Amino acid sequence: MAEIDNKNLFTKINVGDGTDLMTMTRWVLAQQQASAEATGDLTILLTAIQFGCKYVASKVKQAGLINLLGLTGEANVQGEDVKKLDVLANDIFRNSLIASGKVSLLVSEEDEHAMVVENPEQRGKYIVTFDPLDGSSNIDCGVSIGTIFGIFRVQDGEEVGMKDLIRSGRNMVAAGYCMYGSYCEMILSVGSGVNGFTLDPAIGEFIMTHPNITLPPRGKIYSVNEGNMKYFDEPSKNYVNAVKNKYSARYVGSMVADVHRTLLYGGIFGYPADSKSKRGKLRILYEVFPMAYLIEQAGGKATTGTQSALDLIPEHIHDRSGVWLGSKEDVEELESFYKQA
């Protein structure tokens, strides 16, 4: 029998040749291994969220071809017309999260009431609040839309209930969003900075493409719906009038898209309360809190103008607020106008 040359049997892999990819699953597992207190439950939950994002991303790309665009003829609890993709995305995330066995309570923009996982054997120690398809008014015209989520831990030793939701954003343990546009990107924080992962459709994995996202102290872009400016309070009006003389204006009208640009380039995004919507229009639990959490983790700041956005305590699960968020110095400049009022 011929002798095998073991030296030439295998080709050494060069880790710089594009095969040593940092997937989101690999990164989350590394975070788990670095924490002595980690149980793996959050890893499993984030895997379920990954699956939901991949599933929705595939449906977004097919939407125009398989009749998923347009209205269902129903309205959600917010009184907004429900898109077919909204309904599908809500079902996808609800089913995926429950199947993970790691959640006890779910709050969705599309559902009037919080959903308690009924089977005790399927309950976990986490609560997920989510907007399954933010920016849905842009679905028909192909503008970037996304899923926003926040994760809380159930308070120890007590039956899960509303008390677990009526608390500040400082109690969040993780948050993120998935943007569906020209590419699919997941932005995630588990409390130790912010990282971005882009979906590679060829292998079906989120690959780290934006490690350690950090906001510059000040940007050059302001993002606000100036069509509503006549309804703003005086501090917000005065700030926008001051900043427009030195910054460029960029506004998509999809919170995920506008916050994503702000995270990557710096500057400030605002959707303040106004005379039409005195409490604001953004929902605290699944829009304001997750985005404020990400911005602060990236070194920025989020405020209502008079208090930190993460210090808000919602009165009910669909409570609303205004918000300004972005580069720290830009947000502090905005706050200075409120202090002068």
Side-chain angles (χ1 to χ4, degrees):
M1 183 180 290
E3 192 173 296
I4 297 175
D5 183 358
N6 289 318
K7 292 182 179 179
N8 297 319
L9 184 60
F10 300 106
T11 302
K12 184 178 179 181
I13 296 175
N14 179 0
V15 295
D17 65 0
T19 59
D20 188 36
L21 300 174
M22 177 60 76
T23 66
M24 181 175 165
T25 301
R26 176 180 167 185
W27 180 83
V28 172
L29 284 169
Q31 303 306 301
Q32 174 189 324
Q33 292 166 357
S35 174
E37 300 176 356
T39 62
D41 286 0
L42 184 59
T43 300
I44 294 171
L45 180 57
L46 290 171
T47 299
I49 291 174
Q50 272 194 79
F51 171 77
C53 291
K54 292 174 186 178
Y55 197 166
V56 172
S58 71
K59 295 303 178 185
V60 169
K61 289 188 178 299
Q62 299 169 12
L65 299 174
I66 58 177
N67 198 29
L68 284 173
L69 299 176
L71 304 176
T72 64
E74 300 176 352
N76 65 10
V77 65
Q78 315 298 337
E80 302 163 334
D81 289 327
V82 179
K83 304 278 186 175
K84 293 179 182 178
L85 270 175
D86 282 5
V87 176
L88 180 63
N90 195 44
D91 289 345
I92 288 170
F93 278 101
R94 184 171 56 218
N95 293 335
S96 181
L97 290 167
I98 292 172
S100 75
K102 302 304 176 187
V103 294
S104 289
L105 193 62
L106 299 175
V107 175
S108 168
E109 182 195 27
E110 302 299 331
D111 298 324
E112 183 176 359
H113 303 290
M115 179 180 176
V116 178
V117 177
E118 295 181 359
N119 185 350
E121 295 181 0
Q122 277 193 301
R123 289 182 189 169
K125 62 183 180 182
Y126 291 105
I127 298 164
V128 179
T129 63
F130 63 103
D131 183 347
L133 212 58
D134 175 73
S136 56
S137 61
N138 292 312
I139 290 172
D140 288 11
C141 60
V143 172
S144 293
I145 51 181
T147 299
I148 308 172
F149 61 90
I151 301 174
F152 293 83
R153 187 178 284 109
V154 175
Q155 298 181 59
D156 291 337
E158 299 181 28
E159 187 68 21
V160 65
M162 290 302 295
K163 67 185 183 311
D164 292 291
L165 295 170
I166 308 306
R167 49 181 169 153
S168 85
R170 301 287 175 192
N171 296 120
M172 296 181 78
V173 297
Y177 62 81
C178 191
M179 185 180 69
Y180 316 112
S182 56
Y183 59 94
C184 177
E185 178 148 9
M186 172 92 76
I187 302 297
L188 175 67
S189 175
V190 293
S192 55
V194 181
N195 293 280
F197 304 83
T198 302
L199 180 62
D200 183 343
I203 61 175
E205 290 285 352
F206 282 100
I207 307 300
M208 182 180 283
T209 51
H210 294 82
N212 192 28
I213 297 172
T214 304
L215 278 160
R218 185 177 287 274
K220 297 180 180 179
I221 296 171
Y222 75 99
S223 180
V224 64
N225 184 356
E226 293 187 66
N228 285 334
M229 194 168 157
K230 59 185 175 183
Y231 304 111
F232 290 178
D233 59 23
E234 286 306 309
S236 288
K237 279 183 185 176
N238 293 337
Y239 173 74
V240 173
N241 282 327
V243 81
K244 68 169 54 178
N245 294 321
K246 56 183 180 180
Y247 285 2
S248 298
R250 299 285 187 274
Y251 185 73
V252 176
S254 169
M255 189 184 189
V256 167
D258 284 314
V259 172
H260 188 66
R261 182 195 56 249
T262 304
L263 262 176
L264 296 184
Y265 302 150
I268 188 167
F269 165 80
Y271 207 125
D274 56 35
S275 59
K276 288 195 305 178
S277 305
K278 297 187 183 300
R279 295 183 69 90
K281 289 200 70 175
L282 298 176
R283 274 61 61 131
I284 295 173
L285 280 176
Y286 42 83
E287 290 177 323
V288 174
F289 277 173
M291 293 308 200
Y293 184 89
L294 290 169
I295 289 291
E296 288 204 3
Q297 284 290 318
K301 194 170 185 179
T303 182
T304 64
T306 58
Q307 74 174 116
S308 170
L310 285 177
D311 289 333
L312 290 166
I313 298 179
E315 294 181 5
H316 54 84
I317 63 173
H318 297 297
D319 201 3
R320 301 173 185 248
S321 175
V323 73
W324 291 89
L325 52 81
S327 295
K328 187 175 181 180
E329 292 180 10
D330 286 318
V331 175
E332 288 174 346
E333 182 179 355
L334 172 278
E335 288 177 320
S336 71
F337 282 81
Y338 278 89
K339 291 175 183 176
Q340 295 167 15

